[in-house]
Short mmCIF file of all heavy atoms in Angstrom, two decimals:
data_model
loop_
_atom_site.label_atom_id
_atom_site.label_comp_id
_atom_site.label_asym_id
_atom_site.label_seq_id
_atom_site.Cartn_x
_atom_site.Cartn_y
_atom_site.Cartn_z
N ALA V 809 0.82 -1.21 0.00
CA ALA V 809 0.00 0.00 0.00
C ALA V 809 0.86 1.27 0.00
O ALA V 809 0.79 2.09 -0.92
CB ALA V 809 -0.95 -0.02 1.20
N LEU V 810 1.69 1.42 1.03
CA LEU V 810 2.54 2.61 1.11
C LEU V 810 3.49 2.67 -0.08
O LEU V 810 3.73 3.74 -0.66
CB LEU V 810 3.32 2.62 2.42
CG LEU V 810 4.17 3.86 2.71
CD1 LEU V 810 3.30 5.11 2.79
CD2 LEU V 810 4.96 3.67 4.01
N GLY V 811 4.04 1.53 -0.46
CA GLY V 811 4.93 1.48 -1.61
C GLY V 811 4.26 1.95 -2.89
O GLY V 811 4.87 2.65 -3.71
N THR V 812 2.99 1.59 -3.05
CA THR V 812 2.25 2.02 -4.24
C THR V 812 2.04 3.53 -4.24
O THR V 812 2.11 4.18 -5.29
CB THR V 812 0.90 1.29 -4.32
OG1 THR V 812 1.14 -0.11 -4.54
CG2 THR V 812 0.04 1.82 -5.46
N VAL V 813 1.81 4.10 -3.07
CA VAL V 813 1.68 5.56 -2.98
C VAL V 813 3.00 6.21 -3.42
O VAL V 813 3.01 7.17 -4.20
CB VAL V 813 1.31 6.00 -1.56
CG1 VAL V 813 1.33 7.53 -1.45
CG2 VAL V 813 -0.06 5.47 -1.18
N HIS V 814 4.11 5.70 -2.92
CA HIS V 814 5.41 6.28 -3.28
C HIS V 814 5.66 6.18 -4.78
O HIS V 814 6.10 7.16 -5.42
CB HIS V 814 6.52 5.55 -2.53
CG HIS V 814 6.56 5.85 -1.07
ND1 HIS V 814 7.19 5.02 -0.16
CD2 HIS V 814 6.04 6.86 -0.34
CE1 HIS V 814 7.07 5.52 1.05
NE2 HIS V 814 6.37 6.64 0.97
N VAL V 815 5.40 5.01 -5.36
CA VAL V 815 5.64 4.83 -6.80
C VAL V 815 4.71 5.73 -7.61
O VAL V 815 5.12 6.34 -8.61
CB VAL V 815 5.45 3.36 -7.19
CG1 VAL V 815 5.48 3.19 -8.72
CG2 VAL V 815 6.52 2.49 -6.55
N THR V 816 3.46 5.84 -7.17
CA THR V 816 2.49 6.65 -7.91
C THR V 816 2.85 8.13 -7.85
O THR V 816 2.83 8.84 -8.86
CB THR V 816 1.07 6.42 -7.36
OG1 THR V 816 0.75 5.02 -7.48
CG2 THR V 816 0.04 7.23 -8.13
N GLU V 817 3.19 8.61 -6.66
CA GLU V 817 3.55 10.03 -6.52
C GLU V 817 4.82 10.36 -7.30
O GLU V 817 4.91 11.41 -7.95
CB GLU V 817 3.73 10.37 -5.04
CG GLU V 817 2.43 10.42 -4.26
CD GLU V 817 2.63 10.87 -2.82
OE1 GLU V 817 3.79 10.86 -2.35
OE2 GLU V 817 1.64 11.24 -2.18
N ALA V 818 5.80 9.48 -7.24
CA ALA V 818 7.05 9.71 -7.97
C ALA V 818 6.81 9.66 -9.47
O ALA V 818 7.42 10.42 -10.24
CB ALA V 818 8.10 8.68 -7.56
N SER V 819 5.92 8.78 -9.90
CA SER V 819 5.59 8.68 -11.33
C SER V 819 4.86 9.94 -11.80
O SER V 819 5.12 10.45 -12.89
CB SER V 819 4.72 7.45 -11.58
OG SER V 819 5.43 6.26 -11.32
N LEU V 820 3.96 10.43 -10.97
CA LEU V 820 3.23 11.65 -11.32
C LEU V 820 4.19 12.82 -11.50
O LEU V 820 4.00 13.67 -12.38
CB LEU V 820 2.20 11.98 -10.24
CG LEU V 820 1.36 13.24 -10.45
CD1 LEU V 820 0.55 13.14 -11.75
CD2 LEU V 820 0.42 13.46 -9.26
N ALA V 821 5.24 12.85 -10.71
CA ALA V 821 6.20 13.95 -10.79
C ALA V 821 6.94 13.99 -12.12
O ALA V 821 7.40 15.06 -12.55
CB ALA V 821 7.21 13.84 -9.64
N VAL V 822 7.07 12.83 -12.80
CA VAL V 822 7.78 12.79 -14.09
C VAL V 822 6.83 12.61 -15.26
O VAL V 822 7.26 12.56 -16.41
CB VAL V 822 8.85 11.67 -14.10
CG1 VAL V 822 9.84 11.86 -12.96
CG2 VAL V 822 8.22 10.28 -14.04
N ALA V 823 5.53 12.47 -14.97
CA ALA V 823 4.56 12.18 -16.02
C ALA V 823 4.41 13.36 -16.97
O ALA V 823 4.35 14.51 -16.55
CB ALA V 823 3.21 11.82 -15.40
N ASP V 824 4.30 13.02 -18.25
CA ASP V 824 4.07 14.02 -19.29
C ASP V 824 3.02 13.45 -20.24
O ASP V 824 2.50 12.35 -20.02
CB ASP V 824 5.39 14.33 -20.02
CG ASP V 824 5.41 15.72 -20.63
OD1 ASP V 824 4.32 16.32 -20.77
OD2 ASP V 824 6.50 16.19 -20.98
N GLU V 825 2.73 14.19 -21.29
CA GLU V 825 1.74 13.75 -22.26
C GLU V 825 2.04 12.34 -22.76
O GLU V 825 3.16 12.05 -23.20
CB GLU V 825 1.72 14.71 -23.45
CG GLU V 825 0.60 14.49 -24.44
CD GLU V 825 -0.75 14.99 -23.93
OE1 GLU V 825 -0.77 15.95 -23.13
OE2 GLU V 825 -1.77 14.40 -24.33
N GLY V 826 1.06 11.45 -22.65
CA GLY V 826 1.22 10.08 -23.13
C GLY V 826 1.79 9.10 -22.13
O GLY V 826 1.83 7.89 -22.39
N PHE V 827 2.23 9.57 -20.97
CA PHE V 827 2.78 8.70 -19.93
C PHE V 827 1.70 7.77 -19.38
O PHE V 827 0.52 8.13 -19.31
CB PHE V 827 3.35 9.55 -18.81
CG PHE V 827 3.88 8.77 -17.63
CD1 PHE V 827 5.21 8.39 -17.56
CD2 PHE V 827 3.04 8.42 -16.58
CE1 PHE V 827 5.69 7.68 -16.48
CE2 PHE V 827 3.52 7.70 -15.50
CZ PHE V 827 4.85 7.33 -15.45
N ALA V 828 2.10 6.58 -18.94
CA ALA V 828 1.17 5.64 -18.32
C ALA V 828 1.81 4.95 -17.12
O ALA V 828 2.97 4.52 -17.20
CB ALA V 828 0.69 4.59 -19.31
N LEU V 829 1.06 4.85 -16.03
CA LEU V 829 1.45 4.06 -14.86
C LEU V 829 0.46 2.92 -14.71
O LEU V 829 -0.75 3.13 -14.68
CB LEU V 829 1.43 4.92 -13.59
CG LEU V 829 1.50 4.16 -12.25
CD1 LEU V 829 2.82 3.40 -12.11
CD2 LEU V 829 1.30 5.11 -11.07
N VAL V 830 0.99 1.70 -14.61
CA VAL V 830 0.15 0.52 -14.41
C VAL V 830 0.54 -0.10 -13.07
O VAL V 830 1.65 -0.61 -12.91
CB VAL V 830 0.33 -0.51 -15.54
CG1 VAL V 830 -0.66 -1.66 -15.36
CG2 VAL V 830 0.14 0.15 -16.90
N ASN V 831 -0.37 -0.04 -12.10
CA ASN V 831 -0.15 -0.64 -10.79
C ASN V 831 -0.76 -2.05 -10.77
O ASN V 831 -1.88 -2.25 -11.26
CB ASN V 831 -0.81 0.20 -9.70
CG ASN V 831 -0.11 1.51 -9.46
OD1 ASN V 831 1.12 1.56 -9.43
ND2 ASN V 831 -0.86 2.59 -9.28
N VAL V 832 -0.04 -2.99 -10.18
CA VAL V 832 -0.56 -4.35 -10.09
C VAL V 832 -1.29 -4.54 -8.76
O VAL V 832 -0.69 -4.37 -7.69
CB VAL V 832 0.57 -5.39 -10.24
CG1 VAL V 832 0.02 -6.80 -9.98
CG2 VAL V 832 1.17 -5.31 -11.64
N ALA V 833 -2.57 -4.85 -8.84
CA ALA V 833 -3.39 -5.13 -7.66
C ALA V 833 -3.55 -6.65 -7.54
O ALA V 833 -2.56 -7.38 -7.67
CB ALA V 833 -4.73 -4.41 -7.78
N SER V 834 -4.75 -7.16 -7.33
CA SER V 834 -4.96 -8.60 -7.20
C SER V 834 -6.45 -8.90 -7.15
O SER V 834 -7.26 -8.06 -6.75
CB SER V 834 -4.32 -9.11 -5.90
OG SER V 834 -4.71 -10.45 -5.61
N ILE V 835 -6.80 -10.11 -7.53
CA ILE V 835 -8.17 -10.56 -7.35
C ILE V 835 -8.59 -10.45 -5.89
O ILE V 835 -9.76 -10.24 -5.58
CB ILE V 835 -8.36 -12.02 -7.85
CG1 ILE V 835 -9.83 -12.43 -7.77
CG2 ILE V 835 -7.46 -12.99 -7.08
CD1 ILE V 835 -10.11 -13.81 -8.30
N ALA V 836 -7.63 -10.56 -4.98
CA ALA V 836 -7.94 -10.45 -3.54
C ALA V 836 -8.57 -9.11 -3.22
O ALA V 836 -9.39 -9.00 -2.31
CB ALA V 836 -6.67 -10.64 -2.71
N GLY V 837 -8.21 -8.08 -3.98
CA GLY V 837 -8.80 -6.77 -3.76
C GLY V 837 -10.25 -6.68 -4.17
O GLY V 837 -10.95 -5.73 -3.79
N HIS V 838 -10.71 -7.66 -4.94
CA HIS V 838 -12.10 -7.70 -5.40
C HIS V 838 -12.98 -8.56 -4.48
O HIS V 838 -14.19 -8.67 -4.72
CB HIS V 838 -12.18 -8.27 -6.81
CG HIS V 838 -11.65 -7.35 -7.86
ND1 HIS V 838 -12.45 -6.53 -8.62
CD2 HIS V 838 -10.37 -7.10 -8.27
CE1 HIS V 838 -11.71 -5.83 -9.46
NE2 HIS V 838 -10.43 -6.17 -9.27
N MET V 839 -12.38 -9.16 -3.48
CA MET V 839 -13.12 -10.14 -2.67
C MET V 839 -13.49 -9.62 -1.29
O MET V 839 -14.00 -10.38 -0.46
CB MET V 839 -12.28 -11.42 -2.55
CG MET V 839 -12.09 -12.12 -3.90
SD MET V 839 -10.90 -13.48 -3.86
CE MET V 839 -11.68 -14.61 -2.71
N LEU V 840 -13.24 -8.35 -1.03
CA LEU V 840 -13.57 -7.79 0.28
C LEU V 840 -15.02 -7.32 0.32
O LEU V 840 -15.45 -6.55 -0.55
CB LEU V 840 -12.67 -6.59 0.58
CG LEU V 840 -11.29 -6.85 1.16
CD1 LEU V 840 -10.54 -5.54 1.27
CD2 LEU V 840 -11.37 -7.51 2.51
N PRO V 841 -15.80 -7.72 1.33
CA PRO V 841 -17.13 -7.14 1.50
C PRO V 841 -17.01 -5.64 1.76
O PRO V 841 -16.07 -5.17 2.40
CB PRO V 841 -17.68 -7.86 2.75
CG PRO V 841 -16.84 -9.10 2.88
CD PRO V 841 -15.49 -8.74 2.34
N GLY V 842 -17.97 -4.89 1.25
CA GLY V 842 -17.91 -3.43 1.35
C GLY V 842 -17.76 -2.92 2.77
O GLY V 842 -17.04 -1.93 3.01
#
């Protein structure tokens, strides 16, 4: 979780037109009751 925030924020800092960030989640993230 925290690592993803760091990678996302750092990626945003260098992002320009056409840039893409793909984060890997998991099916486990789809199995939590609301």
Side-chain angles (χ1 to χ4, degrees):
L810 185 61
T812 294
V813 174
H814 289 160
V815 171
T816 301
E817 288 185 344
S819 295
L820 179 60
V822 303
D824 206 343
E825 188 76 29
F827 177 92
L829 166 63
V830 185
N831 289 318
V832 174
S834 169
I835 185 177
H838 289 262
M839 295 171 63
L840 277 175

